[in-house]
Amino acid sequence: MNGTSFGDSAGIPFRLVDTGSGTVLLTAERILDFFVAPDDEPPHLVTFAGVHHVSPDRGKAEEAELQVVDHRGERIGKYYLGRVKAAYGEPPDVTGGRHPDVPYDFFGFTEEYPRAGEIWREWADDSPAERGEWARLPAEWHESWLHVVQTSWFTTGKRATRYEAAETVVVDGVGITGRAAFYCALGEAVNGPQGYFGSNLDALFDCLRTARAEGTAPFTLVWRDHSASRDALGADFFAQVLDVLDAGGVAVVAD
């Protein structure tokens, strides 16, 4: 099953689910202290903010999963939390429009992508995906965007391959400010908005290899303002990217 159905999900993208029974322990608008900066001190608790539902008799689980769902209730992201336990005495009152914050102790690890929670909230609404969304974000958001892309891609059952059929794809080098931005741009160019096509050189090669093994038609990559990309990525990494693309049968045209 792709997701655990639970009522109207509009504006309520986060769910804590007991994976053994499928019970939804709570639903919330936001999650705090889970998506953190790499140099932050690991928190003792994770807090679900704007809670809309709390299972009254289930304050803990041995195997739990944090799910991200879209406005239809379909699961678009997931994280393993392991053993979780509510850090409250009595379940909070969520009736009458009350949406409290609820802390939980959990066994799993936090994610070092500080903007991912905000990006997930945007992805979960009912707005259609648009090209160039990632490029309109500040450069420090790009790693978090790439993390969300990759997590959603595999959570929703997609594979490391090419799904689009265009003979030519275009990458705009002006928006590439670093390696994360390059993979954001490439994923979008090859597989459409919010698309994935690798998050490092090994993953890129895996995508190319899988696509070739499946008989996907080869494509030409038109790289606009490639000199700007080379400056942003560094000459060595830029050369490695070209080598991987060449090994994968991709013809690169500098524009």
Side-chain angles (χ1 to χ4, degrees):
M1 187 169 65
N2 190 42
T4 305
S5 179
F6 193 82
D8 182 10
S9 299
I12 317 170
F14 298 107
R15 292 178 180 167
L16 182 61
V17 178
D18 180 343
T19 55
S21 65
T23 300
V24 177
L25 303 181
L26 62 76
T27 65
E29 298 172 9
R30 302 181 307 282
I31 183 168
L32 311 178
D33 300 323
F34 182 71
F35 299 107
V36 299
D39 54 351
D40 283 354
E41 187 73 19
H44 297 292
L45 300 171
V46 63
T47 300
F48 293 89
V51 169
H52 286 242
H53 160 79
V54 177
S55 180
D57 56 351
R58 292 295 306 275
K60 60 182 180 180
E62 290 301 312
E63 294 286 332
E65 182 176 83
L66 171 65
Q67 297 182 355
V68 188
V69 298
D70 64 14
H71 67 285
R72 296 180 300 272
E74 294 294 320
R75 192 176 64 183
I76 59 173
K78 65 178 180 178
Y79 298 92
Y80 172 77
L81 296 185
R83 185 172 60 253
V84 298
K85 182 178 180 181
Y88 56 72
E90 296 292 332
D93 183 4
V94 295
T95 62
R98 298 182 181 89
H99 304 306
D101 294 353
V102 177
Y104 260 80
D105 191 5
F106 72 103
F107 177 76
F109 298 98
T110 55
E111 295 289 334
E112 295 182 343
Y113 300 96
R115 301 298 185 179
E118 296 160 90
I119 295 169
W120 277 125
R121 282 174 54 79
E122 291 296 321
W123 280 40
D125 71 17
D126 59 357
S127 301
E130 297 180 357
R131 287 189 177 274
E133 288 180 281
W134 67 271
R136 292 190 286 272
L137 296 172
E140 60 268 23
W141 287 57
H142 292 162
E143 286 192 5
S144 293
W145 180 276
L146 180 61
H147 163 76
V148 170
V149 166
Q150 183 174 8
T151 302
S152 181
W153 194 257
F154 293 110
T155 297
T156 55
K158 298 185 182 71
R159 296 171 296 107
T161 189
R162 183 179 180 227
Y163 285 83
E164 300 289 325
E167 294 181 0
T168 301
V169 301
V170 179
V171 168
D172 187 354
V174 172
I176 295 176
T177 56
R179 296 186 186 187
F182 163 71
Y183 291 114
C184 291
L186 183 65
E188 180 175 88
V190 174
N191 277 322
Q194 301 178 353
Y196 170 85
F197 204 68
S199 58
N200 55 55
L201 290 174
D202 288 338
L204 171 57
F205 181 75
D206 188 43
C207 289
L208 292 165
R209 178 176 56 188
T210 303
R212 292 186 72 177
E214 294 175 345
T216 302
F219 64 93
T220 297
L221 175 65
V222 176
W223 198 326
R224 293 176 177 166
D225 293 303
H226 71 288
S227 59
S229 298
R230 184 175 59 243
D231 292 342
L233 297 173
D236 290 344
F237 180 75
F238 185 79
Q240 290 177 313
V241 168
L242 294 180
D243 286 344
V244 171
L245 291 171
D246 180 65
V250 178
V252 178
V253 176
D255 187 6

